[in-house]
Amino acid sequence: MSKIILTGDRPTGRLHIGHYVGSLRRRVELQNSGEYDKTYIMIADAQALTDNMDNPEKVRENIIEVALDYMSCGLDPEKSNLFIQSQISELCELTFYYMDLVTVSRLQRNPTVKSEIQMRNFEASIPVGFFTYPISQAADITAFKATTVPVGGDQLPMIEQCREIVHKFNSEYAPDKPVLVEPEALLPQNEACMRLPGTDGKAKMSKSLGNCIYLSDPAEEVSKKIMSMYTDPLHLQVSDPGHIEGNTVFTYLDAFCKPEHFDRYLKDYANLDELKAHYRRGGLGDVKVKRFLEKIMQETLEPIRNRRKELEKDIPAIYEILRKGSEVAREAAAQTLSEVKSAMRINYFEDAELIRRQSEKYQA
Ligand code: TRP
């Protein structure tokens, strides 16, 4: 069986370092690994509209931002098919049919939907499109017969629900020869990457809280955000023992620091464990740890920033990449939709046997 990647993001803003460690970095590695037959990366504008129906301009404006962020991180249109969700109308058709396979109570139990409803204060008036977006996400994944979906931890319930839909579809409509493929989630390497907190230590990174470091932030901005980062409120003097847990600077180090960084920037320590041990013991100041983190972050972000500057010089070329990518994606989705419709017995005009049989019934 071929190995196929599909994943994507909602275009509601520029991408930040949470996206990077949660999934982007991994996508680029997978793309370059040569192990996958096909990689699809989708800008999920239709999904973004499910909770931004009153702000289509925001979604429209951010498509190019996400595309630029993708490519500056190293997603290469020669190797990965970049496309825009709304341009693939087959996804809507698939969603409509999958809706028959899912109950309202199952959607209500989806933990991601549940917490998002709370976050958006939707309780009293949930848009139906938003409520059912796990079904549309299953369409996104299955349309490309994706085997592998690299995502952050918050998306696990989506993949689980998708697998259930696939299972139900295949056993209901295609028991002998499965049409749809059950995908696997590919989660980030560690807990820190799974849920990178904001620079203020809050669990959720959000534009309105001003606690995110964006991939496109200028170097000075990155520096400022790191120097004002939340650490251990009980670590008042350098000599005091410090806490690692819930200390954002160390969480970021868990996500970004590699062994070679000590060699390059902090030779007094052999590895992160040693640095943590010293902090716990006392005698290690926050500023020193922050400076180290800053070097690592700048080293990571600088090439991304530079590539973005180059890409920004030819915006029409980026749209053209998305247009071509959407065409390719559409062909793949159309193929799956046709198999789905056959399995569901709604392919009347391709079924000469049906027409002959019905005709005989009346000619007899
Ligand atoms: N729900 C994802 C997010 O909010 C975006 C998304 C839409 C997606 N369709 C997808 C991710 C399919 C993986 C696979 O980030």
Side-chain angles (χ1 to χ4, degrees):
M1 194 172 70
S2 38
K3 291 172 75 181
I4 298 173
I5 293 173
L6 177 122
T7 187
D9 300 274
R10 298 181 192 180
T12 52
R14 292 181 173 211
L15 300 181
H16 51 62
I17 57 172
H19 295 109
Y20 183 73
V21 295
S23 164
L24 275 174
R25 182 167 65 180
R26 171 65 77 74
R27 290 179 205 175
V28 176
E29 284 165 19
L30 295 173
Q31 165 202 270
N32 294 334
S33 72
E35 280 180 34
Y36 289 83
D37 300 289
K38 199 92 195 147
T39 300
Y40 293 96
I41 309 288
M42 180 182 77
I43 302 183
D45 62 336
Q47 188 177 105
L49 286 167
T50 65
D51 65 334
N52 286 286
M53 57 77 69
D54 53 352
N55 204 352
E57 253 341 286
K58 171 164 121 185
V59 174
R60 185 180 171 84
E61 291 297 311
N62 279 303
I63 285 180
I64 192 73
E65 301 300 338
V66 172
L68 285 165
D69 285 332
Y70 279 169
M71 288 172 62
S72 33
C73 284
L75 285 174
D76 173 357
E78 297 286 319
K79 298 179 186 161
S80 291
N81 198 65
L82 309 180
F83 72 99
I84 306 180
Q85 184 185 30
S86 62
Q87 303 308 297
I88 321 298
S89 49
E90 285 79 2
L91 297 177
C92 299
E93 275 192 77
L94 287 173
T95 303
F96 189 70
Y97 297 125
Y98 295 171
M99 282 183 171
D100 301 334
L101 310 176
V102 181
T103 63
V104 170
S105 67
R106 175 62 183 89
L107 281 171
Q108 280 166 334
R109 268 186 286 119
N110 185 310
T112 310
V113 175
K114 250 182 169 165
S115 75
E116 286 182 313
I117 286 174
Q118 270 179 3
M119 230 158 58
R120 289 168 179 70
N121 295 321
F122 269 165
E123 280 91 347
S125 54
I126 308 164
V128 174
F130 178 80
F131 183 59
T132 55
Y133 94 75
I135 305 177
S136 123
Q137 189 155 335
D140 302 337
I141 296 168
T142 55
F144 303 96
K145 305 211 168 162
T147 50
T148 311
V149 187
V151 280
D154 65 315
Q155 294 292 306
L156 258 190
M158 295 294 150
I159 313 299
E160 196 41 52
Q161 183 140 27
C162 175
R163 292 167 60 90
E164 283 173 35
I165 290 172
V166 168
H167 183 79
K168 182 110 186 174
F169 183 94
N170 284 339
S171 52
E172 212 56 64
Y173 299 126
D176 304 325
K177 190 171 168 286
V179 168
L180 301 180
V181 177
E182 277 188 41
E184 306 272 354
L186 200 57
L187 292 177
Q189 291 81 347
N190 64 34
E191 196 50 41
C193 299
M194 197 96 102
R195 283 174 237 290
L196 198 72
T199 50
D200 55 359
K202 294 216 170 69
K204 187 79 191 160
M205 272 197 225
S206 95
K207 191 172 174 180
S208 51
L209 293 173
N211 63 356
C212 331
I213 297 176
Y214 293 93
L215 294 172
S216 48
D217 274 348
E220 316 79 72
E221 189 74 21
V222 174
S223 171
K224 238 183 10 214
K225 287 177 180 168
I226 291 176
M227 286 307 163
S228 63
M229 227 159 166
Y230 179 83
T231 58
D232 171 9
L234 303 173
H235 187 240
L236 297 175
Q237 312 218 345
V238 173
S239 54
D240 290 340
H243 295 86
I244 304 295
E245 294 71 31
N247 186 325
T248 319
V249 177
F250 281 96
T251 311
Y252 277 43
L253 284 174
D254 280 332
F256 285 96
C257 181
K258 298 190 215 134
E260 69 257 30
H261 289 140
F262 283 92
D263 220 28
R264 261 202 296 277
Y265 305 124
L266 202 62
K267 280 194 191 306
D268 302 350
Y269 302 86
N271 54 43
L272 194 50
D273 286 338
E274 272 189 19
L275 187 74
K276 286 180 181 173
H278 190 185
Y279 192 81
R280 285 205 177 94
R281 257 194 334 267
L284 174 57
D286 283 348
V287 172
K288 186 162 175 182
V289 190
K290 284 181 172 173
R291 290 227 169 92
F292 178 49
L293 175 65
E294 196 205 338
K295 295 233 173 64
I296 297 173
M297 298 296 299
Q298 300 290 14
E299 175 193 297
T300 308
L301 295 177
E302 194 187 52
I304 298 177
R305 214 159 30 220
N306 292 343
R307 230 172 294 144
R308 201 184 208 275
K309 291 225 176 69
E310 281 307 304
L311 292 162
E312 285 167 355
K313 290 181 186 157
D314 193 355
I315 295 296
I318 312 277
Y319 277 106
E320 187 54 21
I321 286 166
L322 295 175
R323 196 182 61 75
K324 288 209 180 103
S326 299
E327 261 171 34
V328 172
R330 195 151 185 207
E331 267 172 47
Q335 172 60 33
T336 304
L337 178 63
S338 147
E339 292 170 34
V340 160
K341 288 172 90 171
S342 301
M344 291 181 70
R345 318 292 289 143
I346 51 178
N347 60 338
Y348 316 112
F349 308 126
E350 281 161 23
D351 191 348
E353 165 64 18
L354 167 76
I355 299 169
R356 193 185 50 73
R357 204 160 29 79
Q358 297 291 28
S359 164
E360 268 174 17
K361 192 164 89 190
Y362 286 99
Q363 307 317 316

